[in-house]
Structure formats: C-alpha cells, structure tokens
Amino acid sequence: DELALAAGVDPYQFRRRLLANDPRGLAVLDKVATMSGWGGTVPAGRARGMAFAWSFNSAVAEVFEISSPAAGQMRIHNAWCAIDCGRPVNPDSVAAQMEGGIVHGVSAALWGQITFTAGRASVRNFDGYPMVRMGQMPNVSVAVMPMNPAVPIGGVGEPGVPPVAPALANAWAKLTGQRVRDL
C-alpha cells in the first residue's frame, strides 16, 4: 500500500498491475475486491485494507474492515478472503481452514507476542496465549475459486494467515494515518 500511495494509485489497482502476468493471483485479487465492494462506500469511521500472498502453491487475497472505537484500539468488523488452491478437494473444508487462519492471524497480529526469560517462553500453555474471542470475531466471507485440474493441489492450512497482518496494518494506516511496522 505504501508503494501504491507513493505512485498515487489505488492499492487494488496497484496490485492488479503487479499481477498482470499471474492469472490465478489476479483472479483471486479481483474476487476479493468484488466480495468486499472495494472502491465503494465504506461506513463512516471505518477503513479497509487489502493484502495478497502466495503460500504453499495457493494464492490468497484478503480485505479487512476496521474501526477504532478508542485511541489505539482496533475493532475488526468484516474480513473477506479468496483462495485459489488449484484443486479444492472439499471446498467447505478449504473455507473452514481459511476462517481458522484468519482467527490465528488476527490473534497473532494483535496479541501474539511471546516473551522469553532465561531461554524459557513466558507463555506455557494456550490458556496464557490470547486468541480472538467470539465477541471480537469479524464477519468472515470466504470464496474458494473453482477447480483448475492443470494446477497441482495447493495448501489450505497456512495460506490464510500471511495476508492478515498486512491487511490489518493497511486498514489501520488508512484509518489513522499511522503505519505499523512491527507486531
């Protein structure tokens, strides 16, 4: 998004240019833009951020819509995700994996710091590791692209995670003017 801003181009259009020779990536990007209504009206006090990643032979694009109910706080309202994993053997399971990846990615981006003392992690179990709770979970929409038999099967566990933090950071920058450089 910073490069798009410097070029004076919408972040979606900037990514479209970069993916011009990547039909799978471009299709995923276009799908998530359509799903999220990118370029349309965003409710007052909210902003949207976009990110794209290749992971385990799967193309994934995500858009997050956020607000800031109080200074320094973020509320995530909506998340849209599109994935092309080549051959979605069970599309419902692929969608569930993307939803789980979004939960994990949001949790890691917002609260996932683990500290160490004398070589030992301070968090010893999952009860000490903050995760998104039901009331914090955004509405999530996932689109699984149609099967492409010419493409080897891609991953569906991890690929939902990499776009989360950059999409959130891009939305935050749009909303507040502040760039987040670390998690």
Side-chain angles (χ1 to χ4, degrees):
D1 276 27
E2 291 182 69
L3 294 174
L5 182 64
V9 179
D10 175 79
Y12 164 56
Q13 295 301 328
F14 189 79
R15 286 177 177 83
R16 285 195 97 253
R17 291 180 191 169
L18 294 173
L19 293 169
N21 296 320
D22 180 354
R24 289 178 64 205
L26 190 57
V28 163
L29 187 69
D30 288 343
K31 182 66 174 179
V32 83
T34 299
M35 293 168 64
S36 66
W38 190 269
T41 304
V42 178
R46 295 185 186 187
R48 292 182 182 154
M50 175 182 283
F52 172 87
W54 273 101
S55 180
F56 296 92
N57 197 41
S58 291
V60 179
E62 294 176 357
V63 173
F64 282 81
E65 181 179 273
I66 67 163
S67 67
S68 181
Q73 293 182 356
M74 178 187 297
R75 177 159 185 240
I76 306 168
H77 299 276
N78 295 295
W80 296 273
C81 172
I83 177 171
D84 179 341
C85 60
R87 298 179 195 169
V89 176
N90 184 335
D92 289 340
S93 289
V94 174
Q97 288 285 350
M98 294 301 99
E99 292 164 356
I102 288 169
V103 168
H104 178 70
V106 168
S107 299
L110 298 182
W111 311 293
Q113 180 177 353
I114 303 291
T115 57
F116 291 82
T117 303
R120 185 175 178 173
S122 57
V123 175
R124 302 299 296 159
N125 204 338
F126 283 106
D127 64 349
Y129 182 82
M131 295 288 290
V132 173
R133 296 189 181 279
M134 293 289 283
Q136 300 165 315
M137 187 63 189
N139 296 315
V140 178
S141 298
V142 177
V144 180
M145 301 304 277
M147 182 181 294
N148 182 347
V151 176
I153 195 166
V156 297
E158 292 85 352
V161 178
V164 173
L168 288 172
N170 288 331
W172 184 256
K174 199 174 290 182
L175 185 67
T176 67
Q178 301 170 340
R179 281 278 165 203
V180 177
R181 303 247 183 257
D182 57 15
L183 302 178

